[in-house]
Amino acid sequence: MGGFDLLMPGGGLIVVPSGDLGDVFIGSDRFSDIGQARFNNAVLRLNTDDVLFADFQINLKGVNDLPDNSLIL
């Protein structure tokens, strides 16, 4: 099963499964394909299917910029 893990500050782990995560960070651009991650307005959004809307999102309070080298996809 593909996917990735998010380790939370309190030690909790969130596993986000995917069908075919293409591992592409697109900055603040709109989703255009399966397996993309985007960041806009302090929210990291992930699209893991062919519906071009976020399947998962997390608010990164206080984060105004997320360079592409900040993520390991």
Side-chain angles (χ1 to χ4, degrees), residues 14-47:
I14 299 174
V15 178
V16 181
S18 68
D20 182 18
L21 192 60
D23 305 339
V24 177
F25 181 67
I26 59 171
S28 61
D29 294 344
R30 293 185 181 269
F31 292 126
S32 61
D33 204 355
I34 297 169
Q36 294 179 327
R38 70 183 297 256
F39 179 77
N40 190 343
N41 297 324
V43 180
L44 178 63
R45 295 175 175 91
L46 306 167
N47 176 39

Side-chain angles (χ1 to χ4, degrees), residues 6-7 9 16 37 46 49 68-69 72:
L6 295 175
L7 184 58
V16 181
L46 306 167
D49 60 25
D68 59 353
N69 64 357
I72 300 173

